Amino acid sequence: MEQPIKILIVEDNVIIADDMQSMLEEIGYEIVDNVIVYEQAEEVLKNQHVDLVLIDIILASDKTGIDLGKHIRENYDIPFIFVTSNSDRATVENAKTVKPNGYLVKPFEQQDLYTSIEIALSNFTRSGKTSAPAPETNEDVPMSNTVLKDSIFVKKQHLYYRIQFSDIMFIKADNVYLEVNTIDKKFLVRSPLKDYLEKLPQNQFYRAHKSYIVNVDHIDAINSKDIMIKDTLIPISKDFKEFIISAMNS
């Protein structure tokens, strides 16, 4: 099931916060909440699902946005971006200590906000560290970007959609693209099959053939040459056949 990216805004200037929310909702992101202090943000993170946090460094409380960034880094596996009017050396150096996934200086335009979020999500991994940005492609061509918890994000036009691992049935290689087949949709991803396999749970996804990755939970039938997943026959290698038969007999 696809879900829009859920964003928490932490900004003590109500006018700026409302403006940011309007920009984000116009793009297609979902705003979980719009809060002004550390304690409110902490409560939202504890009780609601959040994919990314936008944080002003100076907040209307004793604890700053940098304190919140540290809290997120220590307790949650999600990216956050500092959104601030302060770009002096001391502030930037202090911000760097909590390893934000982005730093956006006010004032900014909608495209600046969108780009910062896209890059932060693209570079984020489950470990909370950054990786090399994905290669550029035509904006109309969807591509995979990142893994988060029990899901993988897939870019489609202007949005990143969250695809649950359990919804992926199989992945088929087609030249430089992959066709990701979920229960109810297909997505095109620009990635080598081998690299994509490394992003998926190893006990659930296997390379059944040189051109296919399959989710073993969705296998409906098997014969000497193929497996069937939702009426689709997928060729299998000898090694994968032996693996499946061994798993069935164990």
Side-chain angles (χ1 to χ4, degrees):
M1 186 71 67
E2 303 168 19
Q3 300 175 6
I5 299 301
K6 299 178 185 295
I7 296 176
L8 169 62
I9 299 173
V10 187
E11 165 64 67
D12 66 351
N13 185 313
V14 177
I15 295 175
I16 293 176
D18 288 345
D19 191 34
M20 287 171 60
Q21 179 163 346
S22 297
M23 288 182 187
L24 293 167
E25 289 177 338
E26 186 176 305
I27 296 170
Y29 297 113
E30 180 178 330
I31 306 306
V32 176
D33 209 335
N34 194 333
V35 301
I36 63 173
V37 293
Y38 176 101
E39 291 76 15
Q40 291 174 324
E42 186 179 32
E43 194 67 20
V44 173
L45 288 165
K46 185 188 302 182
N47 296 301
Q48 299 192 53
H49 173 79
V50 176
D51 292 316
L52 180 141
V53 189
L54 296 170
I55 309 171
D56 187 8
I57 288 181
I58 306 300
L59 299 175
S61 61
D62 292 337
K63 292 192 174 181
T64 68
I66 292 175
D67 293 323
L68 179 58
K70 181 179 180 181
H71 175 74
I72 292 171
R73 189 60 74 227
E74 292 176 349
N75 296 278
Y76 299 94
D77 197 19
I78 58 175
F80 62 89
I81 298 170
F82 285 136
V83 182
T84 179
S85 301
N86 301 292
S87 58
D88 59 279
R89 182 186 293 267
T91 301
V92 173
E93 289 299 318
N94 198 14
K96 284 165 59 179
T97 63
V98 294
K99 297 180 171 57
N101 302 93
Y103 195 101
L104 185 61
V105 178
K106 304 171 189 173
F108 50 81
E109 301 294 332
Q110 183 182 50
Q111 188 61 35
D112 301 322
L113 188 58
Y114 166 70
T115 302
S116 295
I117 291 171
E118 291 249 326
I119 291 173
L121 288 170
S122 176
N123 290 347
F124 192 75
T125 66
R126 273 186 293 181
S127 65
K129 299 176 182 178
T130 56
S131 59
E136 295 184 2
T137 66
N138 186 304
E139 191 176 61
D140 294 329
V141 179
M143 58 178 287
S144 169
N145 290 282
T146 187
V147 178
L148 188 62
K149 297 181 182 177
D150 58 353
S151 315
I152 191 164
F153 286 110
V154 175
K155 182 185 177 190
K156 188 171 185 180
Q157 294 181 338
H158 296 294
L159 291 177
Y160 283 80
Y161 290 92
R162 184 174 189 155
I163 312 299
Q164 299 289 325
F165 288 136
S166 58
D167 286 345
I168 299 174
M169 298 189 301
F170 64 91
I171 301 164
K172 178 183 178 182
D174 184 9
N175 294 320
V176 296
Y177 295 102
L178 303 180
E179 183 184 275
V180 180
N181 290 262
T182 69
I183 292 173
D184 55 0
K185 286 184 173 60
K186 294 181 181 179
F187 296 89
L188 283 180
V189 172
R190 188 181 178 93
S191 172
L193 194 66
K194 179 178 179 293
D195 292 351
Y196 209 75
L197 179 60
E198 293 175 356
K199 298 181 179 182
L200 304 172
Q202 295 181 4
N203 62 345
Q204 188 177 0
F205 290 87
Y206 295 86
R207 191 162 185 171
H209 180 270
K210 64 180 181 179
S211 299
Y212 286 89
I213 295 171
V214 300
N215 183 342
V216 294
D217 293 340
H218 285 283
I219 296 176
D220 296 317
I222 182 172
N223 61 28
S224 60
K225 297 181 179 179
D226 310 282
I227 56 173
M228 179 176 286
I229 296 181
K230 198 178 180 181
D231 301 324
T232 300
L233 276 178
I234 297 172
I236 57 176
S237 66
K238 178 182 176 182
D239 289 344
F240 185 74
K241 175 189 171 184
E242 291 174 353
F243 163 76
I244 289 296
I245 292 174
S246 175
M248 291 169 57
N249 294 332
S250 60

